[in-house]
Every structure is written in structure tokens, then in C-alpha cells.
Amino acid sequence: MRRSNNIIIGLSFLIYGVLSLLNGYGVINTGSSVIIGITFCFYGIATVNQTFGNDERGKLFFASVIFLIGVVLLVKSHFELLDSRGIIFTSILFIGGAALLILFLENFKEKVFLYTGSILILLGILSATFFRNYGLFSLANKIGNLFEYFWPVLLIVFGISLFINRKK
């Protein structure tokens, strides 16, 4: 299994490189988010196909998330979206729910994946429809703006704590 995963990763890099070169020379005219989206979709589909039914839940979950992130990148680059943070918040809920549902499809005995995935997808639908009217997205924008300011401080504190707590 390790060898086929290396082949998938290698092909993904090859696809990214070829598409980047074609874009750089003007053969195709697309943005980098489309190229990354195509690469993520390829890696996700190939890895899910490889790991489905092999009891490799971590890799299956990761590949499902990578595929769905690729889909979000492709959708975001092909359609004009007015509220990009709103789509990201909703996408996180949908991606988490869909990845958990894929884990349930791999093992029908684990009902917790079904319930949790369904709840996350339902929250994604509610956030895209009903919660928008209650100011949830404006609250998420405010939290996102604050996070942008404090992100370097958090990284510095995390780096210092790793340096202090390292094994000597």
C-alpha cells in the first residue's frame, strides 16, 4: 500500500507541475487555485479509491477532506461569490460531515460517523440558509479579523512553548 500511495503523490505533483508550466507559458489561462483544486481532486479520488475497504480510516478521512477542499477551490474560482468567509464556514461543516459519512460507508457498524456526519451537514445547510439572517456570518467575520491580528502572537507563543518544553 505504501508504494501505491507514493505513486499517487508523485502523479499529483506531476499534474500540478504540468498544469503550472502550461499556465506559465500561456497554453492554458487559469489561476493557481484551479490548478491546486484539480490536483487535490485527483489526489483525493485516487487515495479514497485505494483506501476504501482497507480499514485505513485516517487516510480515508484525510483524502476525503482533500478532495472536498479541491471541489471548494474549483467552485470558488469558477463562480463569483459575494461572501467568501461565509462559504468557507459552511464548507468546513459540509466537508467534515461528508468525510464522516464516507467513514460510515466504509464501516456500517460505526453509527457514530453517520450521526455526527448528518449533524454537521445539517448545520452546514442551516448556516447557509437560516443562520445568515441571525448575524452568524458577521460574528464569524469579526472573529476572523481578530484572528488575523493575533495569529503572529499565537505562533510566537507556540514557538516559545515548544522551545521551553523541548527534551534536553
Side-chain angles (χ1 to χ4, degrees), residues 46-105:
T47 306
V48 165
N49 187 33
Q50 172 197 349
T51 60
F52 198 80
N54 292 338
D55 202 32
E56 296 181 70
R57 288 190 187 133
K59 194 183 287 187
L60 181 63
F61 184 83
F62 179 74
S64 302
V65 168
I66 291 294
F67 169 74
L68 292 169
I69 289 172
V71 170
V72 169
L73 288 173
L74 289 173
V75 167
K76 193 174 176 189
S77 64
H78 282 88
F79 297 102
E80 185 175 334
L81 302 173
L82 299 176
D83 185 16
S84 63
R85 279 208 179 137
I87 190 74
I88 290 173
F89 178 71
T90 305
S91 296
I92 290 170
L93 294 172
F94 275 118
I95 288 170
L100 288 172
L101 285 178
I102 289 174
L103 288 178
F104 170 72
L105 290 176

Side-chain angles (χ1 to χ4, degrees), residues 6-163:
N6 289 342
I7 292 172
I8 293 171
I9 291 172
L11 286 174
S12 298
F13 281 129
L14 180 70
I15 289 170
Y16 180 79
V18 167
L19 289 176
S20 294
L21 278 174
L22 290 175
N23 190 35
Y25 287 119
V27 176
I28 59 174
N29 188 16
T30 186
S32 62
S33 63
V34 173
I35 295 171
I36 293 171
I38 290 170
T39 306
F40 278 11
C41 286
F42 169 77
Y43 174 80
I45 289 172
T47 306
V48 165
N49 187 33
Q50 172 197 349
T51 60
F52 198 80
N54 292 338
D55 202 32
E56 296 181 70
R57 288 190 187 133
K59 194 183 287 187
L60 181 63
F61 184 83
F62 179 74
S64 302
V65 168
I66 291 294
F67 169 74
L68 292 169
I69 289 172
V71 170
V72 169
L73 288 173
L74 289 173
V75 167
K76 193 174 176 189
S77 64
H78 282 88
F79 297 102
E80 185 175 334
L81 302 173
L82 299 176
D83 185 16
S84 63
R85 279 208 179 137
I87 190 74
I88 290 173
F89 178 71
T90 305
S91 296
I92 290 170
L93 294 172
F94 275 118
I95 288 170
L100 288 172
L101 285 178
I102 289 174
L103 288 178
F104 170 72
L105 290 176
E106 190 210 13
N107 187 1
F108 289 113
K109 295 176 185 174
E110 297 288 335
K111 301 286 186 202
V112 69
F113 294 139
L114 173 67
Y115 301 140
T116 310
S118 299
I119 289 171
L120 285 176
I121 288 176
L122 181 64
L123 283 174
I125 292 169
L126 290 175
S127 71
T129 56
F130 297 116
F131 292 159
R132 178 173 288 186
N133 299 333
Y134 295 116
L136 183 67
F137 290 133
S138 64
L139 176 67
N141 280 335
K142 289 177 186 176
I143 292 171
N145 288 336
L146 285 174
F147 193 69
E148 285 177 13
Y149 292 124
F150 291 111
W151 179 247
V153 174
L154 290 173
L155 287 175
I156 291 169
V157 168
F158 181 67
I160 290 172
S161 69
L162 285 176
F163 183 71

